[in-house]
Structure formats: structure tokens, C-alpha cells
């Protein structure tokens, strides 16, 4: 197997900067691809956290003017990750997060910030840095979407380009007046280019100008071809259906390992599953929830956005007392949802506990301690928290959409009699169906041997990157050939 070099372009990467699953994927896939003889280098924006975390950084390229000021590319590493950081202080060094300012609104110049990322990525992939010539460019989401357009219109030889769609809800839409300022030709402002209802779409650039498109689970790859989940892109994606592939995500099973995780109270594995109960006690204590005889402790680790369907959980709160349920929620995002869960917690402190913000340690404690992990998403391209839950023995209760449908075996009668269930699923994504699933969960939980079997089945699932990385490697090799 010949070695292959890939330039990955991502707007966030674990462990340096993370707002969601994209960072996990960008941080873990290169490590798994290394096992397939694919060497991945990743270009990321030079946010403060990236510049601070970059080890052995050396400048490898300069731009005299990158949308308003000079910039340079630094090459260094973070652990085993080979990184290029786009050091452009005028674009990336400022208060707020990767996408939003401190006021919670998009940075006003996000078009320039991520066009710069794509432009630097295109230049790097065409040999800007001495000794670096990737065979394939792998662009993630709208933030890297313009890479394909810059390559297409450069008039120079380019490596093959792959776009991965992690979330079709974010399409990178900006006024078409930015076309020339972003250095894009008039010829790109067409339906077969990046024109989208009079605007320009960075994601559409990626869809139309890449050689292949992937998304993060087989079911989502099907769903987005239909108007219901296509978010206006279904027709376009159908037109590219011959080069669209669904490859499910994995998780980094070294970071997420209950037998060695430094963030959990008590280590455990398949064989020592009984010890897990100590983590459940620790989680209740940490969240201020009382021990209630026979209560089922539900966990949530999530962005709070309408995608994640957590408003349905609010609708089901009246069931918590009669079904003997408790909830430990960690979330951040929509202030209205935060407010609603905070109100529920103060009304029923014995049943509901909620923490808001981003907390890696608590996320791990919930996975290690909750009896079930709730993921009632309206749509879910892949979802990573249910994969962590499987590995940690927190039985997932999810809607049956996207990657959730692909990664969990519902405890229906057939799966129960075959002894292969790994979780519970409900559909449609509505409060009534969630309520029915919660009732069923309470019934299964009351049968400890059966519950233990479901839990162990989940822990035996392969949620690693091993298989998906082989699929990516094959795709990259085919494109490079
Ligand atoms: P999405 O990318 O749509 O948010 P995923 O399930 O793919 O959903 O990935 C979410 C990632 O972010 C997981 O690694 C999860 O543990 C983490 N996460 C989500 N919310 C929080 C939070 N409030 N605190 C800590 N980690 C979180
Ligand atoms: C997106 C999706 C999520 C997916 C993640 C990583 O944020 O919402 O389902 O797991 O990207 O691909």
C-alpha cells in the first residue's frame, strides 16, 4: 500500500478548539488514517488556542495581503497531529468563539475569515509550502467549502478534492456582492457553481466543485436527497448522487475508554461493569441529585439547538415522577432552552439537574454514570455522543434519524428475543413517541438482567474509527489514482 498525503482543512480540531463533533472528527480521523498509510496534515485557523497549543511551530509560507492584512502559515504539531495554522491575527485573534462573537452573533467578517482558510488551503495543496504536495484535499463543512472553487478557477493543476458535509443546516450563505472581494470569478456565480437564490453559498461551492462528497453516515446520505431533510440542497445533491458517499463517524477509543479515562471516578470494563455503579453515585452527587430507590438516571450531553430535539424532553417532564426518572443534563446554546431546563431543575430539584456551558469533565462523568443517554434529535448527520454512550454502557435512547438509526439496534421484540438490542429508538420525532420510549425504558430498566444485557451489547459494539478510516483511505486512493 503506497503512502498517501492528505491536506485536511477544518475550522476546529480537538484538542485545541472544539464547539462540536466536527472537532472530534478532525482530531481523530488523521490518527486512524495513519494506520492505513495515509498521512494527514490539517490546516486550521490560527485562533489563540491554536497558536498557544502549537508545538515546534515554524513559518512555512506568507501572504502579503490576505483579506486586509499580511498573514503566514505556521507548521507544527499537537501531539501526533501534524498541523498548519493560518496565522492571520486580523481574522482570528479576537474575543468570542470560532464563529460567534461575545454578543452571540456571527462575526461580521465570517465570509472573509473562512474564505481565507480555503484560500490558504488551496495554495498549500498546490505546493505553497516547500516539500508539501498532498495527493488529496479533504475540506470539512462550509467553512472549507470555497477550497474547491479556488482550486477550480486557479488555472493550475490541483489534487483531487473531497468535501465532507457534517451538517447541512449550515450552508455558509453570504451576499453575492462579496464575490469579487473574495477573489472569485463571475463564472462561479451560476446555479452549477456557488449561486444560491441570489446569494453565494460556500457549501454549494464544495458540493459542485469537489470530486467527491461524503457525509457522516449512510442514512444521512440518503435523507439529504429528499426535500424533508435536504434543507434546500436535495436537488443539488441528487445531481451529484454518483459521487456522494455516507461514511459513519467513529470516536477516538483511546480518549473515550472507561477502563482508563482520567475524567471518571471509577474505571470499569465489560468484565468489571458492576463497578460502574460508583460512577452513577458520583454523578448524582456532582449534580446534586438524591439517591432514589430504583430511579433511572437519564443523561444529556448536547448543544442546545432545535436540531437536538431537547424541547421534547421538556414536554415529557410530567412523566418523571410516575416513571421514576431523573435527568442530568449538560448543554450549551439556545438561551430559551437553558432557561427552560433551569426552571425545571428549580421546580423539581430531586428529578432534574442541569449545568450549562462546555465541560469536558462532566461530559465524561455523564457517559460513565448515566443509566441512559438521551439523544432525541430532529436530524443527526452522525452523532458522536451515542457512540460514546455505547462504549460507556449508558444505554442510548434516541430518535431514529441519520447516524442514530445506523449505530443503534432498537430493543424491539425481535432484537430482544435475539438478544442483540443496544438501545432504544423512537419515531416520529415527537413528544408522544419519546414518552412511549421512556415508558418502555422504565419497564426494561426494572428487569436488571435484561438491562445488563442491553448495556453489555452496546459496550461490545465497534464504535472506533478503524472501519470508517479504511473506507476513507480507499476513497482517497481511488481519487488520487
Ligand atoms: P454536534 O456536533 O452536532 O454537536 P456530536 O454528537 O457529533 O454533535 O458531537 C458533539 C461533541 O461535543 C461530543 O464530543 C460531545 O461530547 C461534545 N459536547 C456537546 N455538548 C457539550 C458540552 N456542553 N460540554 C462538553 N462537551 C459537549
Ligand atoms: C455535526 C453533526 C453531528 C456529527 C458531527 C461530526 O456537527 O451535527 O451529527 O456527528 O458533525 O461529523
Amino acid at each position: 500500500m503506497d503512502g498517501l498525503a492528505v491536506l485536511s482543512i477544518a475550522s476546529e480540531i480537538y484538542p485545541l478548539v472544539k464547539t462540536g463533533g466536527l472537532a472530534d472528527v478532525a482530531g481523530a480521523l488523521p490518527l486512524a488514517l495513519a494506520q492505513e498509510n495515509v498521512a494527514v496534515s490539517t490546516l486550521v485557523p490560527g485562533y489563540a488556542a491554536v497558536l498557544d497549543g502549537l508545538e515546534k511551530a515554524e513559518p512555512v509560507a506568507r501572504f502579503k495581503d490576505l483579506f486586509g492584512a499580511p498573514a503566514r502559515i505556521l507548521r507544527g504539531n499537537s501531539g501526533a497531529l501534524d498541523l498548519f495554522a493560518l496565522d492571520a491575527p486580523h481574522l482570528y485573534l479576537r474575543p468570542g468563539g470560532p464563529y460567534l462573537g461575545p454578543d452571540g452573533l456571527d462575526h461580521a467578517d465570517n465570509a472573509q475569515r473562512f474564505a481565507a482558510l480555503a484560500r490558504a488551503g488551496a495554495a498549500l495543496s498546490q505546493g505553497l509550502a516547500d516539500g508539501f504536495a498532498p495527493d488529496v484535499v479533504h475540506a470539512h463543512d462550509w467553512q472549507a467549502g470555497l477550497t474547491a472553487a479556488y482550486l477550480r478557477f486557479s488555472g493550475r493543476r490541483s489534487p483531487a478534492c473531497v468535501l465532507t458535509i457534517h451538517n447541512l443546516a449550515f450552508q455558509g450563505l453570504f451576499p453575492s456582492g462579496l464575490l469579487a472581494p473574495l477573489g472569485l470569478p463571475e463564472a462561479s456565480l451560476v446555479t452549477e457553481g456557488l449561486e444560491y437564490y441570489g446569494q453565494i453559498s460556500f457549501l454549494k461551492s464544495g458540493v459542485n466543485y469537489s470530486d467527491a462528497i461524503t457525509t457522516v453516515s449512510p442514512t444521512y446520505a440518503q435523507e439529504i436527497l429528499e426535500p424533508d431533510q435536504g434543507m434546500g440542497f436535495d436537488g443539488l445533491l441528487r445531481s451529484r448522487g454518483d459521487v456522494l458517499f455516507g461514511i459513519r463517524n467513529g470516536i477516538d477509543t483511546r480518549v473515550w475508554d472507561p477502563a482508563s479515562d482520567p475524567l471518571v471516578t471509577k474505571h470499569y470494563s465489560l468484565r468489571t461493569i458492576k463497578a460502574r455503579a460508583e460512577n452513577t453515585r458520583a454523578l448524582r452527587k456532582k449534580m446534586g441529585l438524591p439517591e432514589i430507590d430504583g430511579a433511572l438516571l437519564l443523561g444529556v450531553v448536547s448543544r442546545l439547538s432545535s436540531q437536538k430535539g431537547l424541547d421534547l424532553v421538556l414536554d415529557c417532564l410530567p412523566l418523571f415522577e410516575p416513571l421514576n426518572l431523573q435527568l442530568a443534563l449538560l448543554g450549551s446554546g439556545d438561551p430559551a432552552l437553558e432557561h427552560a431546563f433551569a426552571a425545571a431543575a428549580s421546580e423539581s430539584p430531586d428529578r432534574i439537574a442541569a449545568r450549562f456551558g462546555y465541560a469536558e469533565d462532566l461530559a465524561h462523568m455523564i457517559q460513565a454514570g448515566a443509566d441512559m443517554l438521551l439523544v432525541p434529535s430532529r436530524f443527526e448527520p452522525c452523532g458522536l455522543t451515542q457512540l460514546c454512550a455505547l462504549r460507556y454502557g449508558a444505554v442510548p435512547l434516541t430518535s431514529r434519524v441519520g447516524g442514530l438509526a445506523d449505530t443503534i439496534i432498537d430493543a424491539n421484540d425481535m432484537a430482544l428475543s435475539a438478544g442483540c438490542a443496544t438501545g432504544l429508538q423512537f419515531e416520529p420525532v415527537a413528544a408522544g413517541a419519546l414518552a412511549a420510549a421512556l415508558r418502555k425504558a422504565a419497564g426494561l430498566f426494572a428487569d436488571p438482567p435484561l438491562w445488563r444485557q442491553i448495556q453489555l451489547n452496546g459496550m461490545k459494539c465497534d464504535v472506533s474509527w478503524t472501519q470508517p478510516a479504511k473506507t476513507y483511505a480507499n476513497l482517497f486512493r481511488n481519487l488520487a489514482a
Side-chain angles (χ1 to χ4, degrees):
M1 217 171 32
D2 288 348
L4 207 69
V6 171
L7 175 67
S8 170
I9 306 172
S11 55
E12 47 185 276
I13 190 162
Y14 178 87
L16 298 180
V17 49
K18 166 167 161 176
T19 71
L22 168 61
D24 293 305
V25 173
L29 182 54
L31 308 179
L33 280 169
Q35 304 302 310
E36 303 302 318
N37 207 12
V38 176
V40 180
S41 310
T42 309
L43 172 69
V44 286
Y47 313 114
V50 167
L51 299 180
D52 291 348
L54 203 63
E55 301 157 40
K56 303 204 185 82
E58 296 278 353
V60 294
R62 284 173 205 284
F63 298 91
K64 276 203 210 92
D65 177 18
L66 192 62
F67 301 120
R72 42 181 208 160
I73 298 178
L74 307 174
R75 188 172 194 172
N77 68 289
S78 164
L81 294 170
D82 180 34
L83 297 179
F84 291 107
L86 180 54
D87 181 19
H90 61 298
L91 299 173
Y92 307 124
L93 290 187
R94 60 176 72 170
Y99 318 118
L100 307 179
D103 55 3
L105 302 174
D106 285 355
H107 294 292
D109 57 349
N110 271 350
Q112 287 81 354
R113 296 173 75 235
F114 295 106
L117 181 70
R119 194 156 217 188
L124 266 182
S125 68
Q126 290 178 321
L128 180 68
D130 271 352
F132 181 71
D135 302 290
V136 174
V137 183
H138 186 190
H140 296 272
D141 270 351
W142 74 265
Q143 293 90 341
L146 283 189
T147 310
Y150 287 129
L151 289 175
R152 173 68 62 107
F153 292 101
S154 71
R156 299 176 50 202
R157 227 180 109 80
S158 315
C161 186
V162 179
L163 171 77
T164 292
I165 300 174
H166 295 265
N167 196 331
L168 200 52
F170 303 104
Q171 304 176 345
L173 295 175
F174 299 99
S176 58
L178 283 173
L179 197 72
L182 296 181
L184 292 160
E186 231 9 84
S188 65
L189 194 64
V190 291
T191 317
E192 304 73 32
L194 40 80
E195 189 272 341
Y196 189 75
Y197 294 103
Q199 293 188 287
I200 57 180
S201 161
F202 285 23
L203 188 69
K204 192 171 171 186
S205 151
V207 172
N208 273 329
Y209 294 135
S210 296
D211 300 288
I213 303 150
T214 71
T215 187
V216 289
S217 68
T219 292
Y220 192 61
Q222 291 299 316
E223 288 172 345
I224 58 179
L225 299 179
E226 303 297 329
D228 194 35
Q229 297 280 24
M231 308 219 166
F233 267 54
D234 46 295
L236 170 64
L237 288 164
R238 282 198 299 278
S239 76
R240 304 237 57 208
D242 53 335
V243 291
L244 171 66
F245 309 98
I247 308 174
R248 78 136 174 92
N249 289 331
I251 54 171
D252 187 332
T253 48
R254 278 163 300 185
V255 173
W256 292 99
D257 181 358
S260 61
D261 186 337
L263 300 176
V264 310
T265 306
K266 175 82 183 168
H267 290 155
Y268 61 97
S269 65
L270 269 173
R271 277 187 305 283
T272 58
I273 182 72
K274 282 197 179 130
R276 190 177 186 277
E278 214 168 297
N279 295 310
T280 308
R281 274 193 292 281
L283 177 59
R284 282 203 168 89
K285 192 157 171 233
K286 168 115 179 159
M287 299 294 287
L289 287 167
E291 297 282 343
I292 300 178
D293 200 28
L296 189 171
L297 178 56
L298 301 162
V300 167
V301 178
S302 187
R303 287 187 293 117
L304 300 178
S305 76
S306 91
Q307 173 187 345
K308 301 295 178 178
L310 291 162
D311 49 305
L312 304 179
V313 178
L314 293 169
D315 294 335
C316 290
L317 291 180
L319 291 177
F320 274 57
E321 198 72 45
L323 293 180
N324 200 11
L325 308 175
Q326 290 175 303
L327 173 67
L329 173 138
L330 168 64
S332 70
D334 181 357
L337 280 170
E338 290 193 8
H339 188 258
F341 278 106
S346 67
E347 202 166 298
S348 315
D350 288 358
R351 296 282 167 188
I352 317 279
R355 298 286 180 277
F356 306 109
Y358 184 87
E360 198 73 31
D361 53 344
L362 185 54
H364 285 242
M365 283 185 81
I366 291 176
Q367 296 286 9
D371 296 307
M372 297 197 94
L373 189 87
L374 266 182
V375 193
S377 305
R378 294 198 159 80
F379 66 94
E380 197 60 77
C382 181
L384 299 176
T385 59
Q386 86 281 9
L387 300 181
C388 301
L390 288 168
R391 182 147 167 90
Y392 277 58
V395 175
L397 193 171
T398 77
S399 52
R400 187 178 290 123
V401 296
L404 300 171
D406 290 335
T407 53
I408 286 152
I409 303 175
D410 175 46
N412 55 35
D413 291 346
M414 207 160 33
L416 285 175
S417 63
C420 64
T422 61
L424 271 83
Q425 291 184 326
F426 65 93
E427 66 180 347
V429 190
L434 173 59
L438 287 170
R439 265 189 214 98
K440 180 162 176 180
L444 294 172
F445 189 66
D447 181 345
L450 180 57
W451 188 260
R452 183 49 52 86
Q453 185 191 40
I454 298 173
Q455 212 179 14
L456 295 179
N457 287 346
M459 291 177 76
K460 287 179 198 155
C461 289
D462 179 7
V463 292
S464 74
W465 272 107
T466 308
Q467 272 311 317
K470 287 186 198 302
T471 312
Y472 275 105
N474 285 337
L475 174 68
F476 292 161
R477 272 182 221 291
N478 283 333
L479 289 170

